[in-house]
Amino acid sequence: RPFKGHEISRRMIMRAPSLSRLLLSVSAALLMLAGCGKPAAPPAEKAAEPAAVPAPVGEGQLDIVAWPGYVERGESDKSYDWVTPFESSTGCKVNVKTAGTSDEMVALMNQGGFDLVTASGDASLRLIYGNKVQPIDTARIPGYKTVDPRLQDAPWHTVGGKHYGVPYQWGPNVLMYNTKVFPTPPTSWAVVFEPGKLPDGKPNKGRVQAYDGPIHLADAALYLMTKRPELGIKNPYELNEAQYAAALEVLRKQHPLVHRYWHDATVQVQDFTSEGVVASGSWAYQVNTLIAAKQPIAYTVPQEGATGWADTTMMHTEAKHPNCAYEWLEWSTSPKVQGDVAAWFGSNPAVPVACTGNALLGPEGCKTNGSENFDKIWFWRTPVADCPAGDCVPYARWSTDYVAIMGGR
């Protein structure tokens, strides 16, 4: 209960002026004594909280070198658009320069003026050792931990324990064939490497194609791993002089058979549609496009296995828009984007969870695109002289010699 003194009213004080003056005098005295004593300690200050680190600010622009179909904004089909939502959420305007080969991508990155590139394994090490791309801080990319563990530390983008990019998509280089000519799937790459008659009784000369890139040497080396085991090839990207010479001989024998050395997927689709081409190394993109057009097309991975590509988004060492680049690297790992890209391109997501629940990809999309063939694939890598097998023929030689072979030399 309150102390009774609190109940003294204003009227009572007025009736006892002497008491009121006494109380005022005592109060004044106490204040004087307090002023003469030891100063009261100041109130304890609240500990200062650390200043929040501001989030990186996007530069408003992002310039990417990419394979055709890798960075879509709905211009070909409005259902396939993972650029517009990115621009809306980040304020980073995306500009894309498409490239048809890895050599073209390397040339563009050497030229400069780009922030990111979707590099295949036959380009990535050239970019790393050429100091054209920088290590990636995966702490700024939370989605990195959702990437397929088989790709997270892949040797075509991880050097010296540092990651030089974020895995994007992957797929096999399949053997695409015309089902009217091949009632049963061909079992060997011999149908495109060796002269001979096909199941329809006609020769394969002028009816097969080969890839327009020095990395096609690896396809020949892979074929020789089974065809000529005495050569001792253990890795199609690590060839000594004798093994390399044997692979070149396979490609020289192939040259008279080749209808076209292809690098444009759209042109290859046209060749299979109307130019009489019936077999070639290819990508799931062309296979799916031709099947959708009701063409008699299927694909297989022959007994020798297949090469393949695992593409990595890498950042230029002199990127002018690094914050927007990091925004894109994180965006690219989202299951929605991964699944949409796989559905459009005919590839497989680097983030496995994207294989389920994507309306565009469908429940069987990854299987259709060859996801079950991962362990059969020798993924593209840049051949280097100092290799685990000893002294190997470097990519510069592959490039020079393949140009000669395509020219008939």
Side-chain angles (χ1 to χ4, degrees):
R1 185 180 177 206
F3 176 59
K4 288 185 178 181
H6 291 179
E7 297 174 359
I8 299 176
S9 68
R10 173 182 170 85
R11 184 170 58 87
M12 291 173 63
I13 293 176
M14 290 178 68
R15 285 177 59 187
S18 59
L19 177 59
S20 96
R21 285 195 296 269
L22 177 61
L23 289 172
L24 290 171
S25 299
V26 171
S27 296
L30 288 173
L31 287 172
M32 290 178 64
L33 287 172
C36 296
K38 183 178 180 181
E45 294 184 3
K46 185 178 181 180
E49 296 182 359
V53 178
V57 178
E59 302 85 358
Q61 183 174 329
L62 181 63
D63 300 305
I64 307 176
V65 178
W67 292 102
Y70 258 12
V71 183
E72 291 290 309
R73 61 167 66 253
E75 293 171 335
S76 300
D77 185 329
K78 63 182 180 181
S79 297
Y80 294 87
D81 181 2
W82 46 94
V83 172
T84 303
F86 169 80
E87 292 176 333
S88 298
S89 64
T90 65
C92 300
K93 171 68 175 177
V94 177
N95 303 305
V96 183
K97 169 68 175 177
T98 59
T101 67
S102 290
D103 287 350
E104 185 180 355
M105 287 187 173
V106 171
L108 288 169
M109 290 295 279
N110 285 337
Q111 170 186 315
F114 299 97
D115 301 302
L116 297 173
V117 59
T118 58
S120 294
D122 60 328
S124 55
L125 290 181
R126 282 186 279 166
L127 293 171
I128 293 170
Y129 292 131
N131 295 316
K132 296 301 178 183
V133 292
Q134 61 180 279
I136 297 297
D137 180 6
T138 57
R140 293 182 63 177
I141 309 167
Y144 198 91
K145 59 180 174 292
T146 68
V147 170
D148 191 325
R150 298 173 296 182
L151 296 174
Q152 286 188 17
D153 300 311
W156 50 85
H157 69 81
T158 306
V159 175
K162 296 179 180 179
H163 299 290
Y164 284 83
V166 177
Y168 192 48
Q169 298 279 299
W170 66 271
N173 294 318
V174 298
L175 176 53
M176 181 167 67
Y177 62 93
N178 185 302
T179 55
K180 288 185 177 179
V181 175
F182 296 90
T184 58
T187 59
S188 172
W189 288 100
V191 297
V192 297
F193 283 128
E194 306 282 353
K197 289 187 176 182
L198 300 180
D200 63 358
K202 299 177 183 179
N204 59 354
K205 184 176 181 179
R207 305 172 72 195
V208 301
Q209 292 188 337
Y211 185 61
D212 175 13
I215 205 66
H216 184 48
L217 264 156
D219 296 309
L222 179 63
Y223 172 62
L224 289 174
M225 287 172 68
T226 300
K227 176 74 173 180
R228 294 185 57 190
E230 71 276 9
L231 288 169
I233 299 174
K234 303 299 182 184
N235 186 316
Y237 306 103
E238 299 175 2
L239 305 177
N240 61 32
E241 289 291 345
Q243 296 164 344
Y244 180 74
L248 288 179
E249 186 58 29
V250 169
L251 297 181
R252 289 192 180 100
K253 289 174 62 177
Q254 182 193 42
H255 177 72
L257 311 177
V258 174
H259 166 271
R260 186 197 304 276
Y261 289 94
W262 73 273
H263 67 265
D264 188 316
T266 302
V267 172
Q268 188 180 53
V269 166
Q270 294 170 352
D271 290 342
F272 268 77
T273 301
S274 58
E275 296 297 321
V277 178
V278 299
S280 177
S282 190
W283 302 330
Y285 173 81
Q286 291 94 301
V287 175
N288 294 342
T289 300
L290 286 161
I291 291 175
K294 309 299 183 185
Q295 295 296 311
I297 295 297
Y299 81 87
T300 186
V301 174
Q303 61 189 6
E304 298 94 351
T307 59
W309 41 272
D311 296 340
T312 306
T313 308
M314 313 181 87
M315 190 188 307
H316 201 289
T317 51
E318 298 176 357
K320 295 180 180 179
H321 314 108
N323 292 330
C324 280
Y326 268 105
E327 291 277 9
W328 179 267
L329 291 174
E330 171 61 15
W331 177 261
S332 74
T333 64
S334 72
K336 170 64 173 168
V337 172
Q338 285 276 310
D340 288 0
V341 177
W344 178 253
F345 195 77
S347 52
N348 290 290
V351 176
V353 71
C355 285
T356 59
N358 185 286
L360 297 175
L361 187 60
E364 297 294 317
C366 287
K367 183 177 180 180
T368 299
N369 293 346
S371 63
E372 297 178 342
N373 293 314
F374 190 97
D375 294 331
K376 298 180 182 178
I377 300 173
W378 289 88
F379 287 102
W380 282 351
R381 293 178 62 178
T382 305
V384 295
D386 185 13
C387 68
D391 292 332
C392 295
V393 179
Y395 185 81
R397 286 264 306 279
W398 288 42
S399 182
T400 301
D401 292 338
Y402 194 65
V403 169
I405 286 171
M406 289 193 298
R409 302 191 302 276

